[in-house]
Amino acid sequence: MASPTKNFVEGAVLFAIGLPLRLFTGDVDVPVVTLTTVGNVLMVIGGMEILYGAYRAACRR
């Protein structure tokens, strides 16, 4: 099982990738998906990973 630190790092990386997609790709046209929606999804998943890492760190004690 992964350590809580790994969850923090994965969540931070996903959030850091999703934020620029959300902020700066509003006028970019991609045929299949909207990049701002992809940014939103990555930020939500990253936030959930960070919260899960915090939960696991709290329950470890």
Side-chain angles (χ1 to χ4, degrees):
M1 205 174 234
S3 68
T5 306
K6 183 179 176 189
N7 292 112
F8 282 125
V9 171
E10 287 177 357
V13 168
L14 286 174
F15 195 86
I17 292 170
L19 186 62
L21 283 175
R22 170 72 174 108
L23 294 177
F24 302 119
T25 60
D27 57 347
V28 177
D29 293 327
V30 180
V32 178
V33 296
T34 306
L35 291 178
T36 54
T37 304
V38 173
N40 286 339
V41 170
L42 286 175
M43 287 172 54
V44 167
I45 293 172
M48 289 171 45
E49 283 281 335
I50 291 170
L51 290 175
Y52 181 63
Y55 170 75
R56 289 195 49 215
C59 288
R60 178 181 261 183
R61 295 183 209 164

